[in-house]
Amino acid sequence: MRKILLGIFVSGFLLIQANAQEQTAKLLQETARTLVQQGDFDNAILMLERARLQEPGNTEILKDLSFAAYLKRDFSKAIEVGNLLITKPDADPQAFQIVGMSYKATAAYKDCAKLYRTALRKFPKSGVLYNEYAELFALEKEMEEAIAQWEKGIEMDPGYSSNYYNAAIYYLSKSNWIRASLYGEIFLNLESYTARTTEMKTQLFTAFKNLYSLESLKLLKELKTNSTFEKIILDGISSAMRTRTSTGNMNDLISVRARFVQEWQNEQHPGFSYRLFDHQLYLINQGLFEAYHYWLLSTTIPEEARDAWKKTHPKETEGFKAFQESRVFKLSEAAYYFNK
């Protein structure tokens, strides 16, 4: 009986000790994450190394350690730990991203490209990996390869915002105002309040100004790269602008865009159900389309004009604010039409 009790005691003690070690490793990791947020990368790495000694196979600890080393600009350590991490079966796209960023930081572009190809075979629907791979091509000035990856990222992972952002910037540089407009507006709905949002609002105004003019529309229609989807959109915009040659002010722009969306719905284009247009139609029906544009293009509207509009439209202003705070803009993987 004494031996049985002793055995139970020893087993219990070992279990408690194991749990304590697990909690300690977790606590060390949490402490390290706090230190990273404070910019104290040296001590964060020390904490994570101690956690790693307790749980050498813990994927999350290894990922945090690789990232902390990257932030410290100790890229060799970030790559060393990261390469160990990505061999694990539960390594996620972010693990590959950290290693890839470290390779890019050291200009090891061939190793980086090989890494991303491997990662995308494992995670063919990862928007972050397509974006990282595209940015690698952009670093090497291979922009056609870059835009192909951004487009693939949009197709495979439509909820990831960075591919829209980078694709929109690319198409702005190519004066492809239709894709710049569509991708820029989708980006703003996915990522509504960041530093990139402010920049994109200004860029989107440039795209709109060029897209909604008969002269630009004529040139855009002549592009041989247009998909069937884009051709239908351009025809729809031309129809919506049938009484105008350009959209010189906010009211004209809103009017043309509202007419386009309403006619798009009435036409019921088979096979082309586009989330952005559904979103716009909902805002029209809720009386929020004008408020949406005062938010969408806010950086290009003089402050006094914005304030004056809000003062005379308090219901719409508060309604759109409440709408944005309560909704999440989502896209379907099936709704990619630019390859048709």
Side-chain angles (χ1 to χ4, degrees), residues 14 36 41 48 78 88 95-96 143 152 155 162 166 185-186 203 210-211 237 242 246 296-297 318:
L14 291 174
V36 165
F41 306 129
L48 289 166
K88 295 186 172 296
F96 286 88
M143 296 308 299
K152 194 65 177 177
E155 178 183 3
S162 289
N166 284 315
E185 188 171 350
I186 289 173
Q203 299 285 6
N210 285 280
L211 177 60
I237 294 174
R242 55 186 173 268
S246 64
L296 193 67
L297 302 174
E318 290 303 313

Side-chain angles (χ1 to χ4, degrees), residues 208-245:
F208 280 176
K209 185 170 62 176
N210 285 280
L211 177 60
Y212 295 98
S213 73
L214 294 181
E215 184 179 349
S216 292
L217 280 171
K218 182 180 178 181
L219 295 173
L220 287 169
K221 287 183 177 182
E222 294 172 355
L223 291 176
K224 295 180 180 180
T225 56
N226 285 335
S227 63
T228 301
F229 181 56
E230 288 167 291
K231 291 175 184 177
I232 295 173
I233 291 174
L234 291 170
D235 286 342
I237 294 174
S238 295
S239 175
M241 291 187 62
R242 55 186 173 268
T243 60
R244 293 179 174 85
T245 58

Side-chain angles (χ1 to χ4, degrees), residues 238-279:
S238 295
S239 175
M241 291 187 62
R242 55 186 173 268
T243 60
R244 293 179 174 85
T245 58
S246 64
T247 52
N249 59 53
M250 180 68 83
N251 289 335
D252 286 344
L253 177 64
I254 294 170
S255 176
V256 166
R257 279 167 55 80
R259 178 183 288 178
F260 165 81
V261 173
Q262 290 163 333
E263 290 181 352
W264 179 274
Q265 182 196 35
N266 293 335
E267 291 290 332
Q268 295 183 349
H269 301 286
F272 294 117
S273 176
Y274 202 51
R275 176 70 180 90
L276 179 62
F277 300 158
D278 293 341
H279 177 63

Side-chain angles (χ1 to χ4, degrees), residues 137-233:
F137 282 119
L139 282 173
E140 298 187 281
K141 309 300 182 184
E142 297 180 31
M143 296 308 299
E144 292 303 312
E145 294 290 341
I147 190 58
Q149 296 303 319
W150 283 317
E151 287 282 6
K152 194 65 177 177
I154 289 169
E155 178 183 3
M156 300 304 290
D157 189 1
Y160 185 70
S161 62
S162 289
N163 286 305
Y164 294 99
Y165 173 83
N166 284 315
I169 296 299
Y170 170 84
Y171 286 122
L172 281 160
S173 73
K174 297 295 182 181
S175 299
N176 187 331
W177 308 118
I178 181 170
R179 291 210 193 188
S181 295
L182 292 172
Y183 287 163
E185 188 171 350
I186 289 173
F187 166 76
L188 287 171
N189 280 283
L190 288 171
E191 189 176 306
S192 300
Y193 295 101
T194 67
R196 296 194 301 183
T197 299
T198 302
E199 177 197 355
M200 184 55 70
K201 287 182 176 183
T202 302
Q203 299 285 6
L204 186 62
F205 177 74
T206 298
F208 280 176
K209 185 170 62 176
N210 285 280
L211 177 60
Y212 295 98
S213 73
L214 294 181
E215 184 179 349
S216 292
L217 280 171
K218 182 180 178 181
L219 295 173
L220 287 169
K221 287 183 177 182
E222 294 172 355
L223 291 176
K224 295 180 180 180
T225 56
N226 285 335
S227 63
T228 301
F229 181 56
E230 288 167 291
K231 291 175 184 177
I232 295 173
I233 291 174

